[in-house]
Amino acid sequence: MSQQVGAIKRINGSLVVAEGLRGARTGDAVYIGELRLIGEVVRISGDLVALQCYEDTSGLRPGEPVIGTGAPLMAELGPGLIGEIFDGLERSEIELWKLTGPFIRRGVRIAPLRRDRRWGFESRVKPGDEVEEGDVIGVVQESSVVEHRILVPVGLRGVIESIEEGSFTVDDTIAVLVAPDGRRIPLKLVQYWPVRIPRPYRERMPIDRPLITGQRVIDTFFPVAKGGTAAIPGGFGSGKTITLQQIAKWSDADIVIYIGCGERGNEMADILTHFPELEDPRTGKKLIERAIFIANVSNLPVAAREASVYMGVTIAEYFRDQGYDVAVIIDSTSRWAEALRDISGRLEEIPAEEGYPAYLSERIAELYERAGRVVALGRDRRIGSVTIMGAVSPPGGDFSEPVTSTTMRFVGALWALDTELAYRRHFPAINWLRSFTRYVEVLEDFWVKLDPQWRTYRERALAILEEASRLEEIARVIGEKALPNDQRLILLTAEIIREGFLVQNAYHRVDTYCPPERQVKLLKIMISFYDFASELIKLGVPVDRIRGLKSVMELLRLKEREELEEIDAAYERVRGDLERLKAEYEAAGVMRGA
Amino acid sequence: MSLAREKAGPVYRTVREVRGPLLVVEGVKGVRYNELVEVKLADGTEIIGTVLDVYENRVVVQVFGQTEGLSLDAAVRFTGDVMRIPLSEDLVGRIFSGSFRPLDGLPEPIGYERREIFVSVINPAAREPPSEFMQTGISVIDGMNALVRGQKLPIFSEAGLPHNIMAAQIARQSTVLGSEEEFAVVFCAMGIKHEEYEYFRREFERTGALDRSVMILNLADDPIIERIIAPRIALTIAEYLAFDLDMHVLAILTDMTGYCEALRSISIAREEVPARKGYPGYMYSDLASIYERAGKIKGKKGSITMMPILTMPGGDITHPIPDLTGYITEGQLILSRELHGRGIYPPVNPLPSLSRLMKDGVGPRRTREDHMEVANQLYMAYAEGVRARDLARIIGELSLSDREKRYLKFAEEFEKRFINQGVYENRPIEKTLEIAWGLLAMLPEDELVRISEENIRKYHPRYRSA
């Protein structure tokens, strides 16, 4: 690809206008000025090309050169991604730190993947084999849990002429492919893909299995499917970050990509420091061995936030195409949208709501559409998925603002965080009345295998919670004691579900992760408790007698028990106590009747 | 002027337009984006500015200083460099204006090096997560919203509340304890009144903290636009003290509302599309570029702990200034007019207040093993008490259940004995926890569900006196 050279004409924040960049196309990557800052073409009018610069533009002068690369912004894909911490342009922040010290410098260019590292490559095809795009030609054991499958790059097919095994750097040629037109194409461990273009796949698959996060309120009440999308809006202090971190830690995806987009530096440092110590409850291996971080914190240039989200999703699709289930967490999509607003304002586009560009909803929709469960290219019909979960930071906690309200239209599940719950130290502060999921039907098959009544329990629990919130309004005015017993039982059961099921302590050894079997069991006994207690209320047993039972209050702490048998045993105690109460009142009823 | 290296660079007398703090200069060659500019007015006054927009030979300059007296005959000198300040340990103990002019009668500072004030981003991978408890001697902070070194924890206040007294108390008490280590206070005033500044100066002086502070002052009658650079000068100095000289720096920025108003005036002068309430859409990123300069760096001894103070317009926490701040900072201390009205000092309402980093700074080997549990229990019990108080307002105190009455009593005692303390009272953390246990002992033991049985046996007054 030929290089075009132009000159800077105007600089206004992250917007740079250049002239003389002939043949530039929108989306092309460019190098701006003598420092060769990275940017991208966003608009062309006549001889003038508007560029979005991903680094601070201080010190640039009109007349400095702009070099067009003739190619869009690319993600570099290959072994070495796992465990890395990148900025929005896929530069390793660890390498940057070694290179330029603890403060970020501009115009530094380093290759995303380490060039000096050697990887053990095992071939899966032999000379003479015919291969097509997406076929696995071999594997690299990248970490103890991730086998990196090396794919024939998109757009290539032909016959393998030679293939090697052994130890290679990402730039070494591992195989030579002869294309149908006779060209000999060297294949390497590394390949490239433009970040703004979704990677192709063979076909979409129905989504039918849950992404288990071990968080009860999510998995049981508002589940997300593998290949689905979810948004988590919440004002500050509503525990958004901790909830996202819990999902990152415990979700049963093969690969987790955490995109810190415009968020706090200390928080990112906390994740980066503590993640490597954490163990995956399923494999017993370190979580860092399946995680990739993109840390584009709030004081890095705004424009790069825009790129960071696409960078993360592109890497996710690359692992999806290898046949993995990938979870992408974006904290926060609001900062990404603000980056869109910033550049739109500088381009002097006519704004829609609150200064956001009119194409905001288009961009949000496109982003979430990159989630999905697919059959990848390649002849072995590998199935992989990308699940996208995006935080939203509504100004003033107002869900009607453009980013939140638009996002709600395009996601499959919504986990609405509630500042009031957070003030009461109810975490995760996911409000059960405002949240939703569209995945209950498709995920039912999974849960009914654990308990055929799952859906009934779930719906009844939600109904009890909903009724309780109505009753609480009344109780606030007349006092709880003034309510009839059957209504007070609803309040008691709601309290048990809230404290014993919805509230989950991220710092408790057992409670931090709750497997599906335990979730179903806990919910089941809470509903059974309600049914049994209702009978007692009909017999005239006052709620306070039931509340006074030690075994009933034990239900609140059952979530901290590790063994399923302990949960059963605890329920037997509740049942025994309730039976005794029942017998007592039945006897009294018989006496009165006699 | 010490923000520029020397009197050099071309001078232009081609100002074509004056619009608020913005000058449009034409026929200019080779100007850099963000470059420092000196503007000489007809009466000889010199003010500084930076380049906001360069379009071929046409340059928009934003001046930091008074905007009265700007005219088309101003002389504009382009210095060819971005804004920098000289740095050395001699800055400690000095007082400067918002544009770095000495206000203490001493000569202009000389430094070993001149550092850029606008752009400074700590690489996230190089950050050390803050985890060192910083004792302020104030119970409601130390006990329930503990601060750690390297944290940014703002005070959300309202006009007329004692946020300055509290900030001065924190500065006084948190540095006294760390006296075996090098510490410094960097104080940046943005639009506060003379008497407020005098109060800080006096307080620092009487404890000897003045010799350990750097003050950057933009008072209420100083040019509003200077507030854009004042915090950046302050934080560039803070970074030098913390990461070059290994000091623990407490940076107090007051009042951020004054800063944001300056940001808004420039945005309006530039005719930008506003986001909310006239504030620009980039205010989040702009605030982040200030707040995110707090922190610790791996392999370095020093730290920058930041305490921005902001007065919420109309007491509205959803106003863009507190709202965007809350999204960036690691928690917030919220002052309550109601507590203040009842004579409680400091009037920090613990329920909506939060220190996100507390969990990393307290506990065994840091403060005490029961610290976090006690804090959670206090939260829960006080919330119950407040709820009981609300209920009592509707149905009357007599109609409350015994349990509710107990919590109501707890809330009152908690406010009087735990939150309330003297302006010069410095409570060690042990004392704070002792008061807390004394209060929790008012409640039945089996309601202390947030505290492990082990810690109850170890610290509950009932077992301790026995």
Side-chain angles (χ1 to χ4, degrees), chain A residues 8-11 17 19 61-64, chain B residues 12-17 23-32 51 53-61 76 78:
Chain A
I8 297 179
K9 210 173 154 68
R10 178 183 186 186
I11 309 122
V17 178
E19 63 180 345
R61 273 187 303 202
E64 285 190 45
Chain B
Y12 291 88
R13 291 181 174 277
T14 45
V15 178
R16 288 289 173 264
E17 194 181 332
L23 298 178
V24 179
V25 192
E26 286 185 352
V28 182
K29 279 207 180 64
V31 167
R32 292 177 188 275
V51 173
D53 193 342
V54 200
Y55 197 171
E56 288 191 307
N57 298 332
R58 189 170 171 274
V59 173
V60 179
V61 171
V76 183
F78 292 89

Side-chain angles (χ1 to χ4, degrees), chain A residues 9-10 58-60 262 394, chain B residues 32-34 53 56 284 327 359:
Chain A
K9 210 173 154 68
R10 178 183 186 186
S58 293
L60 287 183
Chain B
R32 292 177 188 275
Y33 180 71
N34 237 351
D53 193 342
E56 288 191 307
Y284 173 84
Y327 273 119
K359 60 179 189 342

Side-chain angles (χ1 to χ4, degrees), chain A residues 404-579:
Chain A
T404 315
S405 58
T406 311
T407 302
M408 284 164 75
R409 283 166 44 210
F410 296 114
V411 293
L414 184 85
W415 305 320
L417 293 174
D418 182 341
T419 317
E420 284 302 312
L421 286 176
Y423 284 176
R424 300 208 309 251
R425 296 299 186 263
H426 173 121
F427 291 115
I430 295 174
N431 182 310
W432 49 91
L433 299 176
R434 297 174 76 184
S435 300
F436 66 73
T437 180
R438 301 192 175 115
Y439 299 115
V440 173
E441 281 78 18
V442 293
L443 299 181
E444 200 173 351
D445 283 351
F446 170 88
W447 288 96
V448 294
K449 278 184 206 128
L450 299 174
D451 192 311
Q453 294 291 307
W454 175 74
R455 190 143 175 198
T456 319
Y457 299 148
R458 180 184 175 275
E459 274 159 15
R460 291 193 56 203
L462 280 174
I464 290 170
L465 288 167
E466 210 162 320
E467 177 68 9
S469 78
R470 202 178 58 81
L471 295 174
E472 270 162 19
E473 293 289 315
I474 301 168
R476 211 163 291 152
V477 181
I478 61 171
E480 198 214 313
K481 284 222 165 90
L483 292 176
N485 267 314
D486 57 338
Q487 295 188 343
R488 291 185 66 198
L489 177 66
I490 289 180
L491 288 179
L492 173 64
T493 312
E495 186 187 327
I496 291 171
I497 296 175
R498 266 201 321 264
E499 292 291 325
F501 193 87
L502 296 174
V503 170
Q504 195 164 351
N505 183 351
Y507 302 104
H508 188 280
R509 186 181 60 83
V510 176
D511 200 26
T512 184
Y513 172 79
C514 189
E517 299 75 26
R518 219 158 67 205
Q519 298 190 26
V520 174
K521 188 144 259 179
L522 283 171
L523 194 64
K524 177 183 175 173
I525 69 169
M526 287 173 188
I527 298 299
S528 312
F529 160 78
Y530 175 73
D531 288 341
F532 203 136
S534 296
E535 281 178 41
L536 267 62
I537 299 286
K538 284 197 197 104
L539 286 173
V541 182
V543 158
D544 287 332
R545 285 290 308 271
I546 300 174
R547 185 189 273 276
L549 294 172
K550 200 169 170 6
S551 60
V552 170
M553 286 297 122
E554 235 182 276
L555 293 176
L556 300 182
R557 286 196 178 252
L558 272 188
K559 58 188 181 182
E560 294 167 10
R561 307 275 182 273
E562 212 160 3
E563 303 302 325
L564 290 176
E565 295 75 39
E566 287 184 81
I567 298 176
D568 288 329
Y571 183 60
E572 285 313 309
R573 283 194 292 278
V574 174
R575 220 185 145 75
D577 283 347
L578 292 181
E579 296 276 10

Side-chain angles (χ1 to χ4, degrees), chain A residues 87-310:
Chain A
D87 73 358
L89 301 172
E90 214 191 0
R91 289 178 291 202
S92 160
E93 288 178 345
I94 298 169
E95 295 298 313
L96 281 177
W97 176 21
K98 284 186 204 153
L99 212 62
T100 66
F103 289 89
I104 300 270
R105 301 269 173 270
R106 294 182 294 154
V108 181
R109 279 212 305 289
I110 50 173
L113 300 176
R114 299 225 351 225
R115 265 35 208 180
D116 53 350
R117 185 143 176 208
R118 304 187 78 83
W119 301 96
F121 174 73
E122 258 179 61
S123 65
R124 288 284 186 271
V125 293
K126 47 188 194 308
D129 282 357
E130 249 184 72
V131 293
E132 59 177 52
E133 55 181 2
D135 278 348
V136 178
I137 57 166
V139 299
V140 163
Q141 194 67 39
E142 184 169 356
S143 77
S144 67
V145 288
V146 178
E147 178 191 75
H148 199 117
R149 296 165 189 154
I150 307 300
L151 309 176
V152 175
V154 176
L156 295 184
R157 66 191 175 90
V159 177
I160 295 288
E161 184 187 73
S162 63
I163 185 157
E164 298 184 57
E165 286 207 332
S167 164
F168 299 98
T169 70
V170 289
D171 290 322
D172 292 334
T173 297
I174 44 158
V176 174
L177 178 80
V178 181
D181 60 4
R183 274 184 309 139
R184 295 175 69 247
I185 300 160
L187 299 183
K188 300 173 175 183
L189 295 179
V190 65
Q191 50 181 287
Y192 298 86
W193 189 260
V195 298
R196 289 180 195 278
I197 298 176
R199 282 175 62 87
Y201 46 80
R202 194 175 290 273
E203 59 185 297
R204 275 194 186 254
M205 294 281 288
I207 48 180
D208 58 5
R209 51 203 70 191
L211 182 83
I212 297 295
T213 65
Q215 309 305 302
R216 288 181 294 265
V217 58
I218 293 177
D219 293 350
T220 296
F221 290 116
F222 307 104
V224 63
K226 287 201 173 98
T229 53
I232 177 163
F236 67 84
S238 54
K240 192 162 55 222
T241 305
I242 191 78
T243 308
L244 289 174
Q245 289 183 8
Q246 284 293 94
I247 295 169
K249 284 174 193 167
W250 307 125
S251 66
D252 67 342
D254 300 310
I255 314 271
V256 173
I257 299 181
Y258 197 102
I259 308 172
C261 175
E263 287 294 310
R264 302 178 182 94
N266 275 340
E267 235 155 46
M268 218 53 226
D270 186 60
I271 298 181
L272 300 178
T273 309
H274 294 120
F275 228 79
E277 300 161 11
L278 294 168
E279 265 179 27
D280 184 337
R282 279 169 297 270
T283 61
K285 297 287 200 296
K286 297 282 186 244
L287 285 173
I288 191 84
E289 296 194 35
R290 55 156 208 187
I292 300 167
F293 300 97
I294 295 185
N296 202 77
V297 292
S298 60
N299 51 343
L300 282 166
V302 177
R305 279 183 215 159
E306 222 251 314
S308 69
V309 166
Y310 296 111

Side-chain angles (χ1 to χ4, degrees), chain A residues 3-8 16 18 21 28-41 51-55 60 64-74 89 91 107-110 112:
Chain A
Q3 284 197 335
Q4 318 122 348
V5 180
I8 297 179
V16 174
L21 265 186
D28 277 3
V30 290
Y31 296 121
I32 301 168
E34 277 143 20
L35 282 169
R36 294 176 45 103
L37 307 177
I38 302 172
E40 203 180 22
V41 176
L51 311 167
Q52 158 166 268
C53 183
Y54 292 130
E55 297 182 81
L60 287 183
E64 285 190 45
V66 175
I67 301 167
T69 61
L73 186 68
M74 295 277 192
L89 301 172
R91 289 178 291 202
V108 181
R109 279 212 305 289
I110 50 173

Side-chain angles (χ1 to χ4, degrees), chain A residues 9-14 17 19 34 48 56-62 64 85 92-94 96-98 100-106 234-242 261-270 272-274 295-302 305 335 338 341-342 345-346 349 351 354-355 392-397 423-425 475-479 481 499 503 507 557, chain B residues 30-35 52-57 82 116 118-130 144-145 150-152 156 239 243 270 272-276 280-282 284-285 288-289 292-298 300 317-318 322-332 334 350-354 356-357 359-360 376 379 383 387 391 394-395 401-402 448-451:
Chain A
K9 210 173 154 68
R10 178 183 186 186
I11 309 122
N12 171 5
S14 59
V17 178
E19 63 180 345
E34 277 143 20
L48 297 182
D56 184 75
T57 51
S58 293
L60 287 183
R61 273 187 303 202
E64 285 190 45
I85 305 159
S92 160
E93 288 178 345
I94 298 169
L96 281 177
W97 176 21
K98 284 186 204 153
T100 66
F103 289 89
I104 300 270
R105 301 269 173 270
R106 294 182 294 154
F236 67 84
S238 54
K240 192 162 55 222
T241 305
I242 191 78
C261 175
E263 287 294 310
R264 302 178 182 94
N266 275 340
E267 235 155 46
M268 218 53 226
D270 186 60
L272 300 178
T273 309
H274 294 120
N296 202 77
V297 292
S298 60
N299 51 343
L300 282 166
V302 177
R305 279 183 215 159
R335 306 303 165 218
E338 281 167 14
R341 174 168 71 183
D342 186 71
R346 290 184 197 275
E349 293 171 338
E354 291 190 15
V392 187
S393 320
Y423 284 176
R424 300 208 309 251
R425 296 299 186 263
R476 211 163 291 152
V477 181
I478 61 171
K481 284 222 165 90
E499 292 291 325
V503 170
Y507 302 104
R557 286 196 178 252
Chain B
V31 167
R32 292 177 188 275
Y33 180 71
N34 237 351
E35 145 172 11
L52 264 194
D53 193 342
V54 200
Y55 197 171
E56 288 191 307
N57 298 332
V82 293
E116 212 181 314
F118 269 90
V119 184
S120 167
V121 178
I122 302 176
N123 183 330
R127 272 186 189 268
E128 171 87 36
M144 300 174 76
N145 292 291
Q151 185 175 8
K152 41 191 179 296
F156 286 7
E239 281 165 2
F243 305 128
R270 294 181 69 184
E272 291 169 334
V273 179
R276 279 201 302 153
Y282 50 78
Y284 173 84
S285 303
S289 76
E292 283 288 337
R293 290 172 83 164
K296 291 192 65 164
I297 291 177
K298 284 183 179 140
K300 303 226 182 234
I317 196 169
T318 68
D323 187 55
L324 296 177
T325 297
Y327 273 119
I328 306 164
T329 54
E330 284 124 6
Q332 64 278 334
I334 298 184
L351 295 181
S353 296
L354 169 73
R356 290 168 190 272
L357 304 183
K359 60 179 189 342
D360 304 316
N376 285 335
Y379 262 110
R387 192 153 34 189
L391 194 60
I394 301 168
I395 61 172
S401 67
D402 289 345
L448 303 182
V449 291
R450 300 281 159 112
I451 306 181

